[in-house]
Amino acid sequence: MTTTKKAAPPSERRAHLIRLAADLFAEKGFRATTVREIADAAGILSGSLYHHFDSKESIGDEILRGFLDDVLDGYRRAVADVDDPRVAIERMVRSSTAALSRHRAALTMLQNDWAYFSAQDRFAYLRTAMKEIEQTWIDQLERGKQDGQFRADLDARLIYRLLRDILWIPTSWKQAQGKSWTTDEVVDGLLRLLFDGVVAR
Amino acid sequence: MTTTKKAAPPSERRAHLIRLAADLFAEKGFRATTVREIADAAGILSGSLYHHFDSKESIGDEILRGFLDDVLDGYRRAVADVDDPRVAIERMVRSSTAALSRHRAALTMLQNDWAYFSAQDRFAYLRTAMKEIEQTWIDQLERGKQDGQFRADLDARLIYRLLRDILWIPTSWKQAQGKSWTTDEVVDGLLRLLFDGVVAR
DNA sequence: CGTACCCGAGCAAGCGATTGGCCGGGTAGG
DNA sequence: CCTACCCGGCCAATCGCTTGCTCGGGTACG
């Protein structure tokens, strides 16, 4: 059980299979997706998947890692060399949105099956990453309060929690029905709502 | 298969079982919860559940119906005899929050397994109800724009979509970790954010 | 007796995962 | 050029287990 199995030969085929699996995870969630469905999408049998991966979880692992690395990298660059917290937050919002549209599956997995993943030692890095994300947001919100730019009665932690989840939202609209907005329209509407609210000044 | 099975004898025990199932659905989602887990929570065997319900889906059906009826009823009363759209929206926000805290499971089911439910004829009423909800929100937002109270450049449909999903968020915090906010704190913070944004005036 | 409730045992279907072997395209040695 | 070998990719079959659900029979209460 503890023997080191095949690590991760980064083949072309393998990457393609991950993309197929990610699409299914994005639509149905991780647990609700079966390895047989993934195999069907690839036009092979379920057993053949285990030539590339040693378990269904390792597929999920790879998807989640890629997502979090992307997000954290974006945040670090968003706050680097930026003094104005409002600018930093706007850059974080745009960075988040871009990353989320690149990793739609990871988000669905996190919100549907968070309890499943975070209970496993293998996915301990999830908690670590989430903490860094939270701290980054709170730092910028607090800075905005201190320099008088944001309302002094702002609960930074509460606003962060709301914001984080709000940012997830538009991702789930991607495949939805009818008239849809462009990414820019959504982000601009969101930023406007965040900074100014709906009331006319 | 098409024979009319037992309808729904509204017994005490039955209602209790639904509450137990709802708690599990709220934590793990509908599909991820097994009938055996529900039975375990009730201290009986899985087969014994089928004395009360003819399927797992009918349990879900009952939960979802109760939720939507509650929400729609609250909205209708929120907008009745109210001229000021800002007041109406505030009442809708508070009504939603109250309903959601009463039906935590229904919300989890809708966001985790929406694709699963809405694809079935049995749950066609889900789409109907969502349409009425959407129309109610948009009506009030448009009225606010017309009387100059809300920003004229507001995309009512976009704001509704954001708002609807934002309102669902705090529900999932209920069992979460650490310091938590009271319902009033969350609602007030939310309303403040909605109307005024984070920027100091 | 009847009704409400539940047990115990089990079913078919589907699940994730494993295994041994087939196949075709290199690559190397002669 | 031919032969021997390897190797990535996949199939076929199967394992042990869980899923939602069924059903005949039992028990306790009124």
Side-chain angles (χ1 to χ4, degrees):
Chain A
M1 288 297 178
T2 52
T3 59
T4 318
K5 300 197 172 183
K6 71 192 116 180
S11 93
E12 194 90 17
R13 184 71 172 133
R14 182 189 166 91
H16 180 232
L17 291 174
I18 290 183
R19 250 171 278 136
L20 287 178
D23 286 343
L24 291 172
F25 293 158
E27 282 166 28
K28 315 184 44 181
F30 178 78
R31 291 159 96 173
T33 303
T34 71
V35 292
R36 266 167 258 259
E37 287 169 332
I38 301 172
D40 281 352
I44 61 179
L45 291 190
S46 70
S48 307
L49 279 179
Y50 290 83
H51 175 72
H52 304 272
F53 312 96
D54 56 333
S55 74
K56 178 183 163 188
E57 274 172 16
S58 64
I59 305 180
D61 187 278
E62 216 146 318
I63 294 174
L64 291 177
R65 282 204 138 85
F67 168 63
L68 289 175
D69 287 348
D70 199 0
V71 169
L72 286 176
D73 186 59
Y75 278 7
R76 290 183 193 120
R77 274 184 299 163
V79 300
D81 307 319
V82 174
D83 272 340
D84 187 350
R86 171 157 177 166
V87 173
I89 286 184
E90 175 159 350
R91 291 178 63 174
M92 287 168 71
V93 168
R94 297 194 186 277
S95 162
S96 295
T97 307
L100 285 172
S101 73
R102 256 175 271 134
H103 303 268
R104 205 158 56 86
L107 181 59
T108 308
M109 292 163 65
L110 285 180
Q111 43 190 31
N112 278 12
D113 306 301
W114 168 262
Y116 174 75
F117 287 121
S118 65
Q120 300 177 240
D121 293 343
R122 171 172 195 171
F123 295 98
Y125 63 89
L126 289 179
R127 295 190 178 279
T128 312
M130 291 306 261
K131 271 181 196 158
E132 180 174 344
I133 292 176
E134 169 169 349
Q135 201 52 54
T136 309
W137 277 103
I138 291 186
D139 284 349
Q140 299 304 320
L141 287 169
E142 288 292 349
R143 281 179 53 203
K145 280 170 65 177
Q146 276 168 8
D147 69 11
Q149 197 170 180
F150 296 158
R151 300 196 328 252
D153 63 339
L154 213 75
D155 184 334
R157 217 176 118 76
L158 174 59
I159 296 295
Y160 152 70
R161 285 299 228 112
L162 282 171
L163 263 183
R164 188 200 64 180
D165 293 358
I166 288 173
L167 287 172
W168 305 144
I169 293 175
T171 310
S172 55
W173 298 352
K174 272 295 156 60
Q175 80 274 33
Q177 77 286 357
K179 176 221 171 184
S180 61
W181 300 269
T182 69
T183 304
D184 281 342
E185 284 171 337
V186 174
V187 176
D188 290 340
L190 201 52
L191 284 169
R192 194 70 199 282
L193 184 64
L194 170 62
F195 289 129
D196 299 327
V198 298
V199 174
R201 305 227 174 185
Chain B
M1 290 295 176
T2 52
T3 58
T4 318
K5 300 196 172 182
K6 68 193 122 183
S11 90
E12 193 90 16
R13 181 75 171 132
R14 182 188 165 91
H16 181 232
L17 291 174
I18 290 182
R19 248 171 280 136
L20 287 177
D23 287 342
L24 291 171
F25 293 158
E27 281 167 28
K28 313 183 46 181
F30 179 78
R31 289 158 97 172
T33 302
T34 71
V35 292
R36 264 169 257 261
E37 287 170 331
I38 301 172
D40 281 353
I44 61 178
L45 291 189
S46 70
S48 308
L49 278 179
Y50 289 82
H51 174 72
H52 304 273
F53 313 96
D54 55 335
S55 75
K56 178 184 167 187
E57 275 173 15
S58 63
I59 305 180
D61 187 279
E62 217 145 318
I63 294 174
L64 290 176
R65 283 205 138 86
F67 168 64
L68 289 175
D69 287 348
D70 198 0
V71 169
L72 286 176
D73 186 59
Y75 279 6
R76 289 183 195 123
R77 274 185 298 163
V79 301
D81 307 321
V82 174
D83 273 340
D84 187 348
R86 171 157 176 166
V87 172
I89 286 184
E90 176 159 349
R91 291 178 63 173
M92 287 169 70
V93 168
R94 297 193 185 277
S95 163
S96 295
T97 308
L100 285 171
S101 73
R102 257 174 271 133
H103 303 268
R104 206 158 55 87
L107 181 60
T108 308
M109 292 163 65
L110 286 182
Q111 42 190 32
N112 277 12
D113 306 301
W114 168 262
Y116 173 75
F117 288 120
S118 66
Q120 299 177 240
D121 293 344
R122 171 173 195 170
F123 294 97
Y125 62 90
L126 288 179
R127 296 191 178 279
T128 312
M130 292 305 264
K131 272 180 196 158
E132 181 175 341
I133 291 175
E134 169 168 350
Q135 201 52 54
T136 309
W137 277 102
I138 291 184
D139 284 349
Q140 298 304 320
L141 286 169
E142 289 292 349
R143 283 180 53 203
K145 280 170 65 177
Q146 276 167 7
D147 69 11
Q149 198 171 178
F150 296 158
R151 299 195 330 252
D153 63 339
L154 212 76
D155 184 335
R157 218 176 117 76
L158 175 59
I159 297 294
Y160 152 70
R161 287 300 226 110
L162 284 171
L163 262 183
R164 187 199 66 179
D165 293 359
I166 289 172
L167 284 173
W168 309 39
I169 293 175
T171 309
S172 55
W173 299 353
K174 271 296 157 58
Q175 80 274 30
Q177 77 286 357
K179 177 220 173 187
S180 60
W181 299 270
T182 69
T183 304
D184 283 341
E185 283 171 340
V186 174
V187 176
D188 291 339
L190 203 52
L191 284 169
R192 194 71 198 280
L193 184 63
L194 169 62
F195 289 127
D196 299 327
V198 298
V199 174
R201 304 229 173 185

